[in-house]
Amino acid sequence: MDYPGEPAGMGALSVRIVIFGGLMTLVAAGLAQAQRAPVGGFGSPPDAMIFYVARGAADACGQGCSEWIAAEGTVQWDTHKRLIAILDRQAGRKLPVVIHSWGESNLNVATRLGRILRDRGVDTTKGSTEAEACNGKTEAECFALKRPGGPLDAKLNLSDARCDLACVLMLVGGVHRSLPPGARMILSGMFIRNRLAPNVSDERREGLTVRFGELFRLYLRDMGVEPELLDIVDRNSESRRQIELPPAEWIRLRIVTASSL
């Protein structure tokens, strides 16, 4: 269910944050994408985020950068395991992570991904990776090529780069973090829902809201981001609307680093 007045379909970037009370998880709904084969692991949905190494031309991912890790899909309960696995395979190389997220992402795990990226000293940005091997292939065929983790020859597509809250929470884990020119940061509010039992008591809802708010503020402080970011999300929750945060606010709130200007 979308918020009133929000567009539907591929153009919709409504970010709905859902707290699964029983499993203590947060989920954000974002852009829909075509379904694909399951990533693996019991209960892992087909659109779960995958990670693979991509390589392009000189300076393809920034000055002196020709290889990166593509993060592609929906952040799910087990996504952190796949991130750790691909980082471990890099033998100490600190390849930047390029985020392309969509769907109902688990925000608790998104913060865990951010902490992993910070601990490993990795840089982050937003964009979509276009693997050359996928040219002329179906979605399923393309996914099968990416799933082993690369490396794959590719190029970055930075046009129409839109970053919702799940994207932001991953992004701020980067040591150096940036968004490409023309990027849009879209934030909306959050509400609580239990995936196993649709009815959540007002008392339980209030308690979970306070608890998760504390955890998110701690995470933002640890990442060097102004906790005011969560105040913006809270106001959107009350008004049930989404806003676009302008680039000047990205800097003021320290969502991106000064070097990304």
Side-chain angles (χ1 to χ4, degrees):
M1 183 177 72
D2 292 330
Y3 291 139
E6 291 179 346
M10 287 292 293
L13 196 67
S14 65
V15 182
R16 296 171 301 157
I17 303 164
V18 182
I19 301 176
F20 286 173
L23 298 181
M24 300 293 284
T25 61
L26 294 159
V27 176
L31 291 171
Q33 295 280 336
Q35 289 292 297
R36 60 192 187 194
V39 169
F42 178 77
S44 183
D47 59 353
M49 181 170 280
I50 59 171
F51 300 90
Y52 59 95
V53 174
R55 58 191 178 195
D59 302 328
C61 47
Q63 186 174 3
C65 176
S66 59
E67 285 189 281
W68 64 96
I69 293 174
E72 182 180 284
T74 303
V75 179
Q76 299 290 353
W77 63 274
D78 57 349
T79 298
H80 60 286
K81 299 177 183 178
R82 288 187 289 277
L83 175 60
I84 292 171
I86 196 162
L87 292 176
D88 285 347
R89 291 201 298 269
Q90 302 316 306
R93 291 194 306 164
K94 298 182 186 298
L95 299 181
V97 171
V98 180
I99 304 164
H100 180 44
S101 59
W102 64 75
E104 293 193 346
S105 288
N106 182 316
L107 298 183
N108 280 346
V109 176
T111 63
R112 187 167 184 181
L113 298 176
R115 290 193 182 278
I116 292 169
L117 294 171
R118 182 63 60 89
D119 289 344
R120 299 295 186 99
V122 174
D123 295 343
T124 54
T125 189
K126 165 72 178 177
S128 59
T129 299
E130 299 177 350
E132 292 182 8
C134 289
N135 293 339
K137 300 287 195 306
T138 65
E139 176 73 16
E141 291 170 334
C142 180
F143 176 65
L145 292 170
K146 295 174 180 177
R147 182 173 174 174
L152 295 174
D153 292 335
K155 63 180 180 179
L156 277 177
N157 181 357
L158 302 178
S159 64
D160 193 29
R162 292 181 285 181
C163 195
D164 63 10
L165 186 53
C167 165
V168 170
L169 292 175
M170 286 186 64
L171 182 78
V172 300
V175 176
H176 300 98
R177 44 203 187 269
S178 62
L179 290 173
R184 301 176 63 201
M185 186 178 296
I186 311 293
L187 300 177
S188 80
M190 58 185 180
F191 65 89
I192 296 171
R193 187 183 69 193
N194 186 320
R195 67 168 176 162
L196 302 178
N199 296 322
V200 180
S201 70
D202 290 342
E203 182 179 1
R204 178 64 170 160
R205 190 184 305 276
E206 182 177 352
L208 286 172
T209 299
V210 172
R211 176 59 178 157
F212 282 108
E214 293 172 348
L215 293 175
F216 269 53
R217 288 182 189 279
L218 177 61
Y219 171 73
L220 293 175
R221 283 195 298 268
D222 288 348
M223 296 301 106
V225 178
E226 294 293 337
E228 183 185 340
L229 175 62
L230 190 59
D231 294 334
I232 295 171
V233 174
D234 287 342
R235 288 195 295 270
N236 290 342
S237 299
E238 295 174 1
S239 61
R240 298 184 66 82
R241 68 188 180 104
Q242 63 180 18
I243 65 167
E244 181 171 352
L245 206 62
E249 290 293 277
W250 309 347
I251 296 295
R252 186 182 70 81
L253 297 174
R254 297 189 289 183
I255 296 171
V256 299
T257 56
S259 61
S260 63
L261 285 172

